[in-house]
Amino acid sequence: VRIQIYTKAVVSTQSTGIQRQRMAELQAQQGGGAGANGQNKQMEQQARQMEMKNNMLSAILDQKARARLNTVAQVKPERAQKVEMMLIQMFQRGQVMGKIGEAELIKMLEEISKSDTKTTKVNFDRRRVDLDSDSD
């Protein structure tokens, strides 16, 4: 029980630390000038959207699945974004009943990796030289 509490505290501390770091980066990028007000509103809106997305994902995924998704996001951010969008869409359609566990998330990641595999096909287009003797 103590280990679970500790891991939850570490994960929540990391996520709040990441959010604070992101907000500091956004404020540092803001700078001064006439366009700062518009940028400020846009940054606030993006921060709100990120917070809403994180809240929805926390409601959809259990703690282990959320940790797995964060790990995937560090290695392959585009794949993690696809999974996040798929989860949010499923939640909005009412296809998610209860929290999704780590095993179900792994299945989703495998399905996405199967669909993302790019098949490379090499076509050889050889130049054909007329070897006809009639053309002399």
PDB file of all heavy atoms in Angstrom, residues 3-30:
ATOM      1  N   ILE A   3       3.836   1.518  -1.211  1.00  0.00           N
ATOM      2  CA  ILE A   3       4.514   1.643  -2.500  1.00  0.00           C
ATOM      3  C   ILE A   3       3.585   2.290  -3.510  1.00  0.00           C
ATOM      4  O   ILE A   3       3.985   3.148  -4.271  1.00  0.00           O
ATOM      5  CB  ILE A   3       4.991   0.268  -3.004  1.00  0.00           C
ATOM      6  CG1 ILE A   3       6.077  -0.261  -2.062  1.00  0.00           C
ATOM      7  CG2 ILE A   3       5.517   0.365  -4.421  1.00  0.00           C
ATOM      8  CD1 ILE A   3       6.484  -1.676  -2.352  1.00  0.00           C
ATOM      9  N   GLN A   4       2.326   1.909  -3.515  1.00  0.00           N
ATOM     10  CA  GLN A   4       1.364   2.507  -4.435  1.00  0.00           C
ATOM     11  C   GLN A   4       1.215   3.996  -4.156  1.00  0.00           C
ATOM     12  O   GLN A   4       1.174   4.798  -5.075  1.00  0.00           O
ATOM     13  CB  GLN A   4       0.008   1.820  -4.310  1.00  0.00           C
ATOM     14  CG  GLN A   4      -0.029   0.436  -4.898  1.00  0.00           C
ATOM     15  CD  GLN A   4      -1.386  -0.202  -4.721  1.00  0.00           C
ATOM     16  OE1 GLN A   4      -2.050   0.031  -3.723  1.00  0.00           O
ATOM     17  NE2 GLN A   4      -1.776  -1.001  -5.689  1.00  0.00           N
ATOM     18  N   ILE A   5       1.124   4.364  -2.923  1.00  0.00           N
ATOM     19  CA  ILE A   5       0.976   5.772  -2.575  1.00  0.00           C
ATOM     20  C   ILE A   5       2.206   6.544  -3.031  1.00  0.00           C
ATOM     21  O   ILE A   5       2.104   7.624  -3.590  1.00  0.00           O
ATOM     22  CB  ILE A   5       0.751   5.933  -1.053  1.00  0.00           C
ATOM     23  CG1 ILE A   5      -0.602   5.335  -0.664  1.00  0.00           C
ATOM     24  CG2 ILE A   5       0.810   7.398  -0.651  1.00  0.00           C
ATOM     25  CD1 ILE A   5      -0.804   5.229   0.832  1.00  0.00           C
ATOM     26  N   TYR A   6       3.371   5.964  -2.827  1.00  0.00           N
ATOM     27  CA  TYR A   6       4.606   6.625  -3.224  1.00  0.00           C
ATOM     28  C   TYR A   6       4.661   6.809  -4.737  1.00  0.00           C
ATOM     29  O   TYR A   6       4.998   7.876  -5.215  1.00  0.00           O
ATOM     30  CB  TYR A   6       5.810   5.819  -2.738  1.00  0.00           C
ATOM     31  CG  TYR A   6       7.126   6.388  -3.180  1.00  0.00           C
ATOM     32  CD1 TYR A   6       7.608   7.560  -2.629  1.00  0.00           C
ATOM     33  CD2 TYR A   6       7.873   5.767  -4.183  1.00  0.00           C
ATOM     34  CE1 TYR A   6       8.811   8.093  -3.048  1.00  0.00           C
ATOM     35  CE2 TYR A   6       9.071   6.295  -4.607  1.00  0.00           C
ATOM     36  CZ  TYR A   6       9.538   7.462  -4.028  1.00  0.00           C
ATOM     37  OH  TYR A   6      10.712   7.993  -4.450  1.00  0.00           O
ATOM     38  N   THR A   7       4.310   5.778  -5.513  1.00  0.00           N
ATOM     39  CA  THR A   7       4.370   5.891  -6.966  1.00  0.00           C
ATOM     40  C   THR A   7       3.355   6.894  -7.469  1.00  0.00           C
ATOM     41  O   THR A   7       3.626   7.638  -8.390  1.00  0.00           O
ATOM     42  CB  THR A   7       4.143   4.527  -7.646  1.00  0.00           C
ATOM     43  OG1 THR A   7       2.894   3.997  -7.220  1.00  0.00           O
ATOM     44  CG2 THR A   7       5.271   3.582  -7.354  1.00  0.00           C
ATOM     45  N   LYS A   8       2.177   6.926  -6.859  1.00  0.00           N
ATOM     46  CA  LYS A   8       1.188   7.916  -7.279  1.00  0.00           C
ATOM     47  C   LYS A   8       1.685   9.313  -6.987  1.00  0.00           C
ATOM     48  O   LYS A   8       1.495  10.224  -7.779  1.00  0.00           O
ATOM     49  CB  LYS A   8      -0.146   7.664  -6.572  1.00  0.00           C
ATOM     50  CG  LYS A   8      -0.870   6.443  -7.075  1.00  0.00           C
ATOM     51  CD  LYS A   8      -2.167   6.255  -6.350  1.00  0.00           C
ATOM     52  CE  LYS A   8      -2.871   4.984  -6.817  1.00  0.00           C
ATOM     53  NZ  LYS A   8      -4.121   4.762  -6.095  1.00  0.00           N
ATOM     54  N   ALA A   9       2.332   9.503  -5.862  1.00  0.00           N
ATOM     55  CA  ALA A   9       2.860  10.822  -5.518  1.00  0.00           C
ATOM     56  C   ALA A   9       3.969  11.225  -6.475  1.00  0.00           C
ATOM     57  O   ALA A   9       4.047  12.371  -6.896  1.00  0.00           O
ATOM     58  CB  ALA A   9       3.364  10.819  -4.080  1.00  0.00           C
ATOM     59  N   VAL A  10       4.814  10.284  -6.864  1.00  0.00           N
ATOM     60  CA  VAL A  10       5.900  10.586  -7.791  1.00  0.00           C
ATOM     61  C   VAL A  10       5.341  10.960  -9.156  1.00  0.00           C
ATOM     62  O   VAL A  10       5.762  11.940  -9.757  1.00  0.00           O
ATOM     63  CB  VAL A  10       6.867   9.377  -7.911  1.00  0.00           C
ATOM     64  CG1 VAL A  10       7.844   9.569  -9.041  1.00  0.00           C
ATOM     65  CG2 VAL A  10       7.608   9.173  -6.606  1.00  0.00           C
ATOM     66  N   VAL A  11       4.376  10.202  -9.655  1.00  0.00           N
ATOM     67  CA  VAL A  11       3.789  10.484 -10.961  1.00  0.00           C
ATOM     68  C   VAL A  11       3.083  11.829 -10.947  1.00  0.00           C
ATOM     69  O   VAL A  11       3.237  12.628 -11.863  1.00  0.00           O
ATOM     70  CB  VAL A  11       2.824   9.347 -11.383  1.00  0.00           C
ATOM     71  CG1 VAL A  11       2.063   9.734 -12.620  1.00  0.00           C
ATOM     72  CG2 VAL A  11       3.613   8.080 -11.619  1.00  0.00           C
ATOM     73  N   SER A  12       2.310  12.117  -9.890  1.00  0.00           N
ATOM     74  CA  SER A  12       1.605  13.389  -9.854  1.00  0.00           C
ATOM     75  C   SER A  12       2.587  14.534  -9.698  1.00  0.00           C
ATOM     76  O   SER A  12       2.400  15.598 -10.269  1.00  0.00           O
ATOM     77  CB  SER A  12       0.576  13.399  -8.719  1.00  0.00           C
ATOM     78  OG  SER A  12       1.230  13.306  -7.475  1.00  0.00           O
ATOM     79  N   THR A  13       3.670  14.340  -8.958  1.00  0.00           N
ATOM     80  CA  THR A  13       4.683  15.377  -8.811  1.00  0.00           C
ATOM     81  C   THR A  13       5.368  15.634 -10.145  1.00  0.00           C
ATOM     82  O   THR A  13       5.609  16.778 -10.515  1.00  0.00           O
ATOM     83  CB  THR A  13       5.736  14.956  -7.758  1.00  0.00           C
ATOM     84  OG1 THR A  13       5.070  14.658  -6.541  1.00  0.00           O
ATOM     85  CG2 THR A  13       6.745  16.055  -7.533  1.00  0.00           C
ATOM     86  N   GLN A  14       5.645  14.562 -10.893  1.00  0.00           N
ATOM     87  CA  GLN A  14       6.279  14.719 -12.191  1.00  0.00           C
ATOM     88  C   GLN A  14       5.369  15.449 -13.157  1.00  0.00           C
ATOM     89  O   GLN A  14       5.813  16.331 -13.885  1.00  0.00           O
ATOM     90  CB  GLN A  14       6.665  13.361 -12.764  1.00  0.00           C
ATOM     91  CG  GLN A  14       7.814  12.692 -12.055  1.00  0.00           C
ATOM     92  CD  GLN A  14       8.064  11.283 -12.572  1.00  0.00           C
ATOM     93  OE1 GLN A  14       7.252  10.729 -13.298  1.00  0.00           O
ATOM     94  NE2 GLN A  14       9.194  10.713 -12.174  1.00  0.00           N
ATOM     95  N   SER A  15       4.093  15.096 -13.183  1.00  0.00           N
ATOM     96  CA  SER A  15       3.180  15.734 -14.125  1.00  0.00           C
ATOM     97  C   SER A  15       2.979  17.204 -13.783  1.00  0.00           C
ATOM     98  O   SER A  15       2.926  18.039 -14.677  1.00  0.00           O
ATOM     99  CB  SER A  15       1.839  14.995 -14.161  1.00  0.00           C
ATOM    100  OG  SER A  15       1.207  15.078 -12.906  1.00  0.00           O
ATOM    101  N   THR A  16       2.873  17.543 -12.492  1.00  0.00           N
ATOM    102  CA  THR A  16       2.735  18.953 -12.144  1.00  0.00           C
ATOM    103  C   THR A  16       4.028  19.696 -12.435  1.00  0.00           C
ATOM    104  O   THR A  16       3.995  20.850 -12.853  1.00  0.00           O
ATOM    105  CB  THR A  16       2.340  19.130 -10.658  1.00  0.00           C
ATOM    106  OG1 THR A  16       3.303  18.480  -9.843  1.00  0.00           O
ATOM    107  CG2 THR A  16       0.952  18.603 -10.397  1.00  0.00           C
ATOM    108  N   GLY A  17       5.162  19.033 -12.241  1.00  0.00           N
ATOM    109  CA  GLY A  17       6.440  19.660 -12.567  1.00  0.00           C
ATOM    110  C   GLY A  17       6.566  19.924 -14.058  1.00  0.00           C
ATOM    111  O   GLY A  17       7.056  20.980 -14.476  1.00  0.00           O
ATOM    112  N   ILE A  18       6.107  18.986 -14.867  1.00  0.00           N
ATOM    113  CA  ILE A  18       6.138  19.156 -16.319  1.00  0.00           C
ATOM    114  C   ILE A  18       5.209  20.283 -16.738  1.00  0.00           C
ATOM    115  O   ILE A  18       5.556  21.102 -17.588  1.00  0.00           O
ATOM    116  CB  ILE A  18       5.766  17.835 -17.020  1.00  0.00           C
ATOM    117  CG1 ILE A  18       6.866  16.798 -16.787  1.00  0.00           C
ATOM    118  CG2 ILE A  18       5.553  18.044 -18.518  1.00  0.00           C
ATOM    119  CD1 ILE A  18       6.493  15.406 -17.223  1.00  0.00           C
ATOM    120  N   GLN A  19       4.036  20.352 -16.124  1.00  0.00           N
ATOM    121  CA  GLN A  19       3.099  21.426 -16.450  1.00  0.00           C
ATOM    122  C   GLN A  19       3.681  22.776 -16.082  1.00  0.00           C
ATOM    123  O   GLN A  19       3.560  23.736 -16.851  1.00  0.00           O
ATOM    124  CB  GLN A  19       1.770  21.209 -15.720  1.00  0.00           C
ATOM    125  CG  GLN A  19       0.959  20.057 -16.258  1.00  0.00           C
ATOM    126  CD  GLN A  19      -0.269  19.761 -15.414  1.00  0.00           C
ATOM    127  OE1 GLN A  19      -0.431  20.303 -14.333  1.00  0.00           O
ATOM    128  NE2 GLN A  19      -1.144  18.904 -15.925  1.00  0.00           N
ATOM    129  N   ARG A  20       4.322  22.864 -14.917  1.00  0.00           N
ATOM    130  CA  ARG A  20       4.936  24.130 -14.515  1.00  0.00           C
ATOM    131  C   ARG A  20       6.055  24.506 -15.467  1.00  0.00           C
ATOM    132  O   ARG A  20       6.201  25.682 -15.843  1.00  0.00           O
ATOM    133  CB  ARG A  20       5.490  24.009 -13.093  1.00  0.00           C
ATOM    134  CG  ARG A  20       4.425  23.989 -12.037  1.00  0.00           C
ATOM    135  CD  ARG A  20       5.039  23.896 -10.666  1.00  0.00           C
ATOM    136  NE  ARG A  20       3.999  23.652  -9.669  1.00  0.00           N
ATOM    137  CZ  ARG A  20       4.205  23.084  -8.509  1.00  0.00           C
ATOM    138  NH1 ARG A  20       5.430  22.690  -8.173  1.00  0.00           N
ATOM    139  NH2 ARG A  20       3.231  22.904  -7.662  1.00  0.00           N
ATOM    140  N   GLN A  21       6.851  23.523 -15.871  1.00  0.00           N
ATOM    141  CA  GLN A  21       7.946  23.788 -16.789  1.00  0.00           C
ATOM    142  C   GLN A  21       7.406  24.281 -18.127  1.00  0.00           C
ATOM    143  O   GLN A  21       7.934  25.228 -18.710  1.00  0.00           O
ATOM    144  CB  GLN A  21       8.771  22.512 -16.989  1.00  0.00           C
ATOM    145  CG  GLN A  21       9.967  22.688 -17.890  1.00  0.00           C
ATOM    146  CD  GLN A  21      10.720  21.382 -18.095  1.00  0.00           C
ATOM    147  OE1 GLN A  21      10.232  20.328 -17.726  1.00  0.00           O
ATOM    148  NE2 GLN A  21      11.894  21.465 -18.692  1.00  0.00           N
ATOM    149  N   ARG A  22       6.350  23.658 -18.613  1.00  0.00           N
ATOM    150  CA  ARG A  22       5.749  24.065 -19.889  1.00  0.00           C
ATOM    151  C   ARG A  22       5.193  25.477 -19.803  1.00  0.00           C
ATOM    152  O   ARG A  22       5.368  26.277 -20.724  1.00  0.00           O
ATOM    153  CB  ARG A  22       4.641  23.072 -20.268  1.00  0.00           C
ATOM    154  CG  ARG A  22       3.986  23.369 -21.580  1.00  0.00           C
ATOM    155  CD  ARG A  22       4.933  23.150 -22.736  1.00  0.00           C
ATOM    156  NE  ARG A  22       4.245  23.460 -23.959  1.00  0.00           N
ATOM    157  CZ  ARG A  22       4.810  24.014 -25.001  1.00  0.00           C
ATOM    158  NH1 ARG A  22       6.085  24.279 -25.001  1.00  0.00           N
ATOM    159  NH2 ARG A  22       4.117  24.290 -26.073  1.00  0.00           N
ATOM    160  N   MET A  23       4.538  25.802 -18.699  1.00  0.00           N
ATOM    161  CA  MET A  23       4.004  27.153 -18.521  1.00  0.00           C
ATOM    162  C   MET A  23       5.146  28.171 -18.485  1.00  0.00           C
ATOM    163  O   MET A  23       5.041  29.256 -19.055  1.00  0.00           O
ATOM    164  CB  MET A  23       3.171  27.240 -17.238  1.00  0.00           C
ATOM    165  CG  MET A  23       1.821  26.546 -17.327  1.00  0.00           C
ATOM    166  SD  MET A  23       0.764  27.207 -18.622  1.00  0.00           S
ATOM    167  CE  MET A  23       0.433  28.825 -17.961  1.00  0.00           C
ATOM    168  N   ALA A  24       6.258  27.827 -17.823  1.00  0.00           N
ATOM    169  CA  ALA A  24       7.410  28.731 -17.775  1.00  0.00           C
ATOM    170  C   ALA A  24       7.987  28.932 -19.176  1.00  0.00           C
ATOM    171  O   ALA A  24       8.360  30.050 -19.547  1.00  0.00           O
ATOM    172  CB  ALA A  24       8.468  28.177 -16.827  1.00  0.00           C
ATOM    173  N   GLU A  25       8.038  27.858 -19.964  1.00  0.00           N
ATOM    174  CA  GLU A  25       8.534  27.965 -21.333  1.00  0.00           C
ATOM    175  C   GLU A  25       7.630  28.857 -22.166  1.00  0.00           C
ATOM    176  O   GLU A  25       8.105  29.689 -22.939  1.00  0.00           O
ATOM    177  CB  GLU A  25       8.627  26.587 -21.978  1.00  0.00           C
ATOM    178  CG  GLU A  25       9.734  25.718 -21.455  1.00  0.00           C
ATOM    179  CD  GLU A  25       9.690  24.316 -22.040  1.00  0.00           C
ATOM    180  OE1 GLU A  25       8.818  24.039 -22.895  1.00  0.00           O
ATOM    181  OE2 GLU A  25      10.536  23.487 -21.648  1.00  0.00           O
ATOM    182  N   LEU A  26       6.329  28.676 -22.019  1.00  0.00           N
ATOM    183  CA  LEU A  26       5.380  29.486 -22.768  1.00  0.00           C
ATOM    184  C   LEU A  26       5.505  30.960 -22.393  1.00  0.00           C
ATOM    185  O   LEU A  26       5.451  31.838 -23.254  1.00  0.00           O
ATOM    186  CB  LEU A  26       3.951  28.996 -22.515  1.00  0.00           C
ATOM    187  CG  LEU A  26       3.604  27.611 -23.061  1.00  0.00           C
ATOM    188  CD1 LEU A  26       2.202  27.199 -22.638  1.00  0.00           C
ATOM    189  CD2 LEU A  26       3.721  27.584 -24.567  1.00  0.00           C
ATOM    190  N   GLN A  27       5.679  31.234 -21.104  1.00  0.00           N
ATOM    191  CA  GLN A  27       5.824  32.615 -20.667  1.00  0.00           C
ATOM    192  C   GLN A  27       7.142  33.209 -21.155  1.00  0.00           C
ATOM    193  O   GLN A  27       7.213  34.384 -21.491  1.00  0.00           O
ATOM    194  CB  GLN A  27       5.726  32.700 -19.144  1.00  0.00           C
ATOM    195  CG  GLN A  27       4.321  32.440 -18.637  1.00  0.00           C
ATOM    196  CD  GLN A  27       4.258  32.374 -17.116  1.00  0.00           C
ATOM    197  OE1 GLN A  27       5.275  32.415 -16.445  1.00  0.00           O
ATOM    198  NE2 GLN A  27       3.039  32.268 -16.588  1.00  0.00           N
ATOM    199  N   ALA A  28       8.199  32.394 -21.204  1.00  0.00           N
ATOM    200  CA  ALA A  28       9.486  32.877 -21.681  1.00  0.00           C
ATOM    201  C   ALA A  28       9.437  33.171 -23.180  1.00  0.00           C
ATOM    202  O   ALA A  28      10.062  34.120 -23.655  1.00  0.00           O
ATOM    203  CB  ALA A  28      10.571  31.862 -21.384  1.00  0.00           C
ATOM    204  N   GLN A  29       8.693  32.387 -23.918  1.00  0.00           N
ATOM    205  CA  GLN A  29       8.577  32.581 -25.360  1.00  0.00           C
ATOM    206  C   GLN A  29       7.717  33.782 -25.708  1.00  0.00           C
ATOM    207  O   GLN A  29       7.797  34.310 -26.798  1.00  0.00           O
ATOM    208  CB  GLN A  29       7.986  31.332 -26.019  1.00  0.00           C
ATOM    209  CG  GLN A  29       8.917  30.153 -26.031  1.00  0.00           C
ATOM    210  CD  GLN A  29       8.234  28.910 -26.593  1.00  0.00           C
ATOM    211  OE1 GLN A  29       7.047  28.927 -26.894  1.00  0.00           O
ATOM    212  NE2 GLN A  29       8.998  27.832 -26.718  1.00  0.00           N
ATOM    213  N   GLN A  30       6.905  34.184 -24.774  1.00  0.00           N
ATOM    214  CA  GLN A  30       5.967  35.269 -24.997  1.00  0.00           C
ATOM    215  C   GLN A  30       6.662  36.532 -25.455  1.00  0.00           C
ATOM    216  O   GLN A  30       6.315  37.106 -26.482  1.00  0.00           O
ATOM    217  CB  GLN A  30       5.235  35.550 -23.692  1.00  0.00           C
ATOM    218  CG  GLN A  30       3.769  35.615 -23.793  1.00  0.00           C
ATOM    219  CD  GLN A  30       3.184  35.827 -22.424  1.00  0.00           C
ATOM    220  OE1 GLN A  30       3.775  36.486 -21.589  1.00  0.00           O
ATOM    221  NE2 GLN A  30       2.029  35.284 -22.197  1.00  0.00           N
TER     222      GLN A  30
END
